[in-house]
Amino acid sequence: MLQIRNLTKIYEGGVKALDDVSFDVPDGQFLAVIGLSGSGKSTLLRCINRLIEPTEGQILWNGEDITAASQEEMRRIRRKIGMVFQHFNLVHRSKVITNVLAGRLGYVNPAWSLMNRFPKEDLAKAFKQMERVGIADKAYQRADELSGGQQQRVGIARALMQDPELILADEPVASLDPVLAHSIMKHLEDINKQDGVSVLCSLHFLDIVHRYADYVIALNEGKLVYEGPPKDIDDQKFKDIYGRDAERVG
Amino acid sequence: MKKSNDKKASPWKSIKIGLLALLVMVIYAYGFQITEVNLEELRSEKRQTSLKRVTRALAKPDIIEYDQTEQIINFPIYIPCQADGTLPVAPGHAASDPFLIITPGCASPGETVQVEGFDFAPNVTGPVRFVPGSDVTNIVTLGRDVAETDNTGHFILSFKLPERPSEDVQYIRASLRKNVGSPHFTQTAKDTWEKIIETVFLALLATTFGTILAIPLSFLAARNLMKPVKSPLTSIALSMIGWPLGIYVGFIIVNWVGSMSTALHTNAWLALAVAILALVLVWMGIRWALPQAEVNSPGRLIRFLRLGVILLCVVVGFFGLFQFASLVMSVGKSLTLTLGPFGFLGNFFFQSGDIILVITSSLGALVAGGAVSSFLSRMGLQATEKLPAGGVKIINLILTPIAVATILVLLGQLIEWLYQIGKPFYTLWGPMITGVVLGLALAIFCKAKDALPTGMVIYYITRSVLNGLRSVEALVMAIVFVIAVGIGPFAGVMALGLHTIVSLAKLYSEQVESIMTGPLEAIQATGANRLQTIIYGVVPQIVPPYISYTMYRWDINVRMSTIIGFVGGGGIGFLLQQNINLLNYRGASAQMLAIAVVVASMDYISSVLREKTI
C-alpha cells in the first residue's frame, strides 16, 4: 500500500511542480498517471523513490515514511521499487547482462560489486528475467546495439531483478511505435497480474490507459484534477485534464 | 539599442573605427619595440655567414662517419720576409710522398700566397690552415680554407696569410683526409639512440603513473558527482578528526608490521610461504566478513566481529605485502646477477619491490586515515539521524571546535616546518584558538541537522589545487625534483608525472561533467550507493574520452620529455642542450632529427591506437 499525502515539490527558482497531491495505491493496482507534458508526472514518480527530494508532504509505503528515511534506509527501500524510463536509461557501452545485473546493486555487498562480482544466483536470475522479456540471446551484446523496444525490455528486466513490490514507469512507451508500445505494456501488465506488483505508470495515450490501467489519476500544473477508473473519463473530464482546446483523438 | 544599429554610418562611428585602428597600430608598434624586431641585423654580413655555417651544420646531422686516414704536410713560411732575404728551407720528402709548394716563400701579413699540393691521394678534401707559433706540432690552427685534390692528387689554392707576424719560421698545414672502410655510426649517433630510448620510456612511465592517479582525482573535481554529496556538521567534524588520527595510527601500525616483517625475513622460501599464507588468510577472512549478498542486515555482534576480522585482515595483508616486497627485491637482486644481458628484468623486480615497500607505508597510513574517518563520519550521520536536535547541537559544540582546531594546528605546524618561524603563538596557540572560535561559531550558527555541501567544498579545493599546480610548467617542476631525487630521468618522470596528473584530472573531470544523467538516475533508483553508481553508471560512459585524452597526454609527454633534460630531468634534452652550448651544431642536428622522428611516429601510433579503441 502506497499512500501519498499532501505532496508538494517546489523547484529552486520557484516552479511548483507538484501542488498538494494526495492519493492511495493499493497493493497490486495498475495505476496510470496522465496529464500534459510538464504537468508533474515525472516529478511525482521520482519523488516516490526520492530521486527528487519532495519539499513537503509524506509518502507512506507499507506504513513507513519514505520522506523521513535515512540514506541507509533509502537504499533498502529503493531496492524494492523498480523503475522504468522513457529513454530506457541503459548504460550504452555496457553489456546487456551488466545492465540487467545492475538491478541487484541494492542487494549485493558493495565491495564485491565494485569488482563486478555477482553471486551465481543473481546471474541465473538475470538470465531468467531476460528470457521472460525475450532478450536472453542478446545478453552479451552492447546495450546500444539493441533496438528501442529491446532496450526497454532490458530496462524492465533490470527492474525485475530488484524483486520489486512496486514499479514506477515513467512514460515507458512514449519513444516507441504503437506495436512495440503494446508489447512493452503487456510485459508490465504481466508483471502486475502474475507477480502482483503494483505499477505506477505515466502515460500519454488514452487508448493505452483504457486498455491496461485499473485506475487513473490526472495532473494538471501539479494539481490532482482527476481520480477514478479510466472509463469515467468523459469529454468534460478530458477537457479538465488536458485544457479546453484539447481535441480527443482515437 | 536596436534602432542605432539600423542607422547608417554616422561620423561618430567612423571616428570610433579610426581611433580603434590607431590604437591597434600603437599596440603593435609597441610590440615591435619590445620584441626588438630588427631586419637590419639579419642582413649584416656577420649574421649571414654564421647563419649559413649553422644551417649547413644542421643540414649534416652527425650520424654516420667513415674511418679516415690523414695525410698531413706542414710547409714553413716567413711572415713577414726576413731582413736578409732568407727563405725557409723546404722539408725533404720521399719520391712517392705528397709535398707542398708555397710561392712566394715569404710574404707580409694579410698578403695572399699560392699553396700548391702534389702527389696527395686523388679526390680527397681537407683543410689548409695556418699553424700559429713556431711549433710545427701545434694542434691549434687558423683559417677555413679547404683543399680538394683532382684525380692526380694535385691541388692549388690562394691562401690569405693571417695577421701573425713573427721573427721565427711559421707553418701552413694541409691535412687531407681520405675515407676508408665502410660507414659506421658516430659516437654522437650512439649517444643519441641511448638517450632517445630513455626519453620514450620517461614519457611512458610519466603517462602511466599520471593516468592512474588522475582518474580518482577527476571524480573529486567533477561538479555533477560532488554536488549531491552533503553531510551534517557532526559527521564532517568527526571525519576531519578521523583523518589525522587514522593516518597517525595507521602509520604507527604499518611501520610496526614492517619492522616485524624485516625481523622475520631470513630467506626467500620462508618469505614466499608467509606471503602466500597471508594472502590465503586475507581471502578467507574477507569472504567471511563481506558476504556477497545479504537480505537482512545482521545483528550488532556479528557486525562487530566482522569489523574485527577485517581489521585483522588488513594487518595480515600488510604483513604479507611487506614479505612479498622483500621477496621480490631479493629475487630481483639474484636475477640481476644471473640473467646477464637481461639483468634489467631483475633490476625491475628489485625496484618494484622497493616501490611496494615505500608505497605500502604511506598507503597503509592513508587507508587507515580513510577508514577511521569514514567510520567516524558514519557514526556522526547515525547520531544526527537518531538523536534529538538538542543533543546533536551539544555534540556539535564539542566536536566542531576540536576538528577545526586540529586542522588549523596541523596547517600551522606545516607553516612552522616550511618557514621556521619558531614562535609557537603564531603556529600553535594562535591557530588552536582561532580554530576553537571558528568551530564554535560554525556549531552555533549551523542548524544541528542541516546537511552541509561537503561535496562542493571538496570540489572547489580539488579544482583550486589542480589549477594551481597545472599553471606550473613541467620544466619548473623538474627543477624541484632534480633537487629532490638528483639529476637524471627519474626526476623527469616525477615532474612530467605530476603535471600529467593535474592536467589529466582536469580534462577527465570535464568529461565526467558531460556524461548522460539518465543511466545514473537508473542505477541510483536500484538502491545502489554512490560508489556503485560511479562504477556502473559513470565509468562505462567515460572510457572512450579517457583513452583519447590519455593518448593526447602521451603525445605531449613525449614532446615534453625531449626538453625536460634542459634542466637535468634526463632524456635527450641534456645532450641537445650540451651540443648547442658547445656550438656542436652537427651533434645537435642529430638529436633534433631523433626528436622529430620519435614525435612523428608517436603521433602516428597514438592516432592508430585511438581509432582502434574507440
Side-chain angles (χ1 to χ4, degrees), chain A residues 22-40:
Chain A
S22 302
F23 63 93
D24 289 352
V25 187
D27 283 341
Q29 192 176 58
F30 196 119
L31 178 88
V33 184
I34 59 172
L36 290 170
S37 297
S39 59

Side-chain angles (χ1 to χ4, degrees), chain B residues 360-381:
Chain B
T360 306
S361 315
S362 32
L363 190 74
L366 279 181
V367 165
V372 171
S373 145
S374 71
F375 177 74
L376 285 181
S377 105
R378 182 167 290 198
M379 287 207 346
L381 198 66

Side-chain angles (χ1 to χ4, degrees), chain A residues 46 70 75 79 109 112-113, chain B residues 290 292 295 521 532 536:
Chain A
R46 281 170 174 72
S70 71
R75 178 173 144 96
R79 69 186 189 191
N109 192 308
W112 291 104
S113 69
Chain B
L290 295 173
Q292 284 201 328
V295 180
E521 200 180 25
Q532 288 175 317
Y536 283 85

Side-chain angles (χ1 to χ4, degrees), chain B residues 237-381:
Chain B
L238 277 170
S239 98
M240 265 157 75
I241 298 172
W243 270 108
L245 188 73
I247 287 177
Y248 180 70
V249 172
F251 191 72
I252 288 180
I253 292 179
V254 170
N255 275 348
W256 176 73
V257 171
S259 61
M260 292 274 290
S261 162
T262 323
L264 186 80
H265 182 242
T266 43
N267 74 51
W269 293 112
L270 188 63
L272 183 68
V274 170
I276 290 175
L277 188 68
L279 187 71
V280 171
L281 277 180
V282 168
W283 175 247
M284 276 164 45
I286 286 181
R287 277 317 281 252
W288 182 77
L290 295 173
Q292 284 201 328
E294 250 177 350
V295 180
N296 303 311
S297 40
R300 195 166 295 243
L301 180 69
I302 292 283
R303 278 202 298 209
F304 189 71
L305 267 179
R306 279 185 182 165
L307 196 68
V309 168
I310 289 178
L311 280 180
L312 205 66
C313 277
V314 170
V315 171
V316 173
F318 273 114
F319 189 76
L321 208 57
F322 276 119
Q323 286 292 310
F324 178 69
S326 46
L327 171 73
V328 168
M329 278 174 81
S330 55
V331 167
K333 207 179 217 168
S334 57
L335 280 185
T336 316
L337 298 175
T338 50
L339 274 183
F342 291 99
F344 67 91
L345 286 175
N347 185 47
F348 170 71
F349 282 120
F350 183 78
Q351 297 298 345
S352 303
D354 208 12
I355 289 173
I356 296 174
L357 271 187
V358 170
I359 290 180
T360 306
S361 315
S362 32
L363 190 74
L366 279 181
V367 165
V372 171
S373 145
S374 71
F375 177 74
L376 285 181
S377 105
R378 182 167 290 198
M379 287 207 346
L381 198 66

Side-chain angles (χ1 to χ4, degrees), chain A residues 12 46 49 51 69-72 74-75 78-79 81-83 85 88-94 98 102-120 122 158 162, chain B residues 227 230 283 286-287 289-297 378 381-382 385 516-533 535-537 540-544 613-614:
Chain A
E12 280 174 49
R46 281 170 174 72
N49 62 3
L51 285 179
S70 71
Q71 282 182 17
E72 266 313 291
M74 222 32 241
R75 178 173 144 96
R78 271 182 186 158
R79 69 186 189 191
I81 304 179
M83 194 158 187
F85 300 84
F88 326 132
N89 286 0
L90 302 183
V91 181
H92 282 176
R93 289 179 50 85
S94 295
T98 314
R104 291 304 286 180
L105 286 176
Y107 289 90
V108 297
N109 192 308
W112 291 104
S113 69
L114 295 187
M115 290 177 286
N116 208 359
R117 301 268 303 187
F118 285 89
K120 279 200 190 79
D122 284 356
R158 176 171 65 191
Q162 295 176 236
Chain B
K227 194 147 190 221
K230 286 182 179 165
W283 175 247
I286 286 181
R287 277 317 281 252
L290 295 173
Q292 284 201 328
E294 250 177 350
V295 180
N296 303 311
S297 40
R378 182 167 290 198
L381 198 66
Q382 279 180 356
E385 275 162 4
M516 292 193 295
T517 51
L520 286 195
E521 200 180 25
I523 301 282
Q524 247 178 322
T526 64
N529 68 16
R530 202 176 302 283
L531 214 54
Q532 288 175 317
T533 313
I535 300 288
Y536 283 85
Q541 292 195 56
I542 51 177
V543 167
T613 46
I614 296 160

